[in-house]
């Protein structure tokens, strides 16, 4: 999947990467291949002490769950952290959905790029 490839590229470039995936096996595989990739068990843990969060999921429904879930969504988690974290969406989505995500991020006080 694209997210694992992005994480691997960042790791090869020398960046420390916190990786979350709905598949624990996928994250374990990435972490085993690159010493600068650390697996995290919950989506909210990705937003801990980072400069940027990159999201690569398969479709708008998955993005809705990742970004907007009220209990453990990424926007809620990042909004609780110190300011300055940039959230980047790497998915291919409709213009309407991208605008909705931008509005939700703005309402949460977040820096968001799509």
């Amino acid at each position: 999947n694209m997210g694992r490839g992005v994480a691997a590229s960042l790791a090869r470039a020398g960046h420390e990467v916190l990786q979350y995936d709905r598949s624990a096996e996928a994250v374990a595989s990435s972490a085993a291949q690159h010493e600068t990739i650390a697996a995290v068990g919950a989506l909210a843990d990705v937003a801990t002490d980072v400069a940027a969060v990159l999201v690569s999921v398969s479709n708008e429904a998955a993005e809705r769950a990742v970004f907007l879930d009220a209990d453990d969504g990424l926007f809620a988690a990042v909004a609780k952290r110190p300011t300055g974290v940039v959230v980047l969406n790497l998915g291919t989505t409709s213009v309407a959905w991208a605008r909705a995500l931008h509005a939700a991020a703005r309402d949460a006080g977040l820096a968001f790029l799509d």
Side-chain angles (χ1 to χ4, degrees):
N1 78 25
M2 189 170 107
R4 280 183 272 166
V6 170
S9 293
L10 289 168
R12 282 192 302 274
H15 298 282
E16 293 183 18
V17 177
L18 298 177
Q19 185 177 6
Y20 169 80
D21 195 297
R22 292 174 285 182
S23 164
E25 294 81 19
V27 176
S29 173
S30 291
Q33 294 175 24
H34 301 279
E35 64 184 41
T36 60
I37 294 179
V40 295
L43 184 59
D45 294 338
V46 173
T48 304
D49 194 30
V50 297
V53 177
L54 286 72
V55 176
S56 175
V57 295
S58 58
N59 57 45
E60 291 178 16
E63 288 182 2
R64 183 176 304 280
V66 167
F67 290 117
L68 302 180
D69 186 281
D71 295 324
D72 61 358
L74 189 58
F75 284 177
V78 173
K80 294 175 187 173
R81 305 290 184 222
T83 60
V85 176
V86 177
V87 179
L88 297 99
N89 182 16
L90 305 179
T92 303
T93 61
S94 69
V95 172
W97 175 242
R99 287 180 177 152
L101 281 176
H102 276 273
R106 182 188 62 240
D107 291 349
L110 304 176
F112 180 77
L113 298 171
D114 181 81

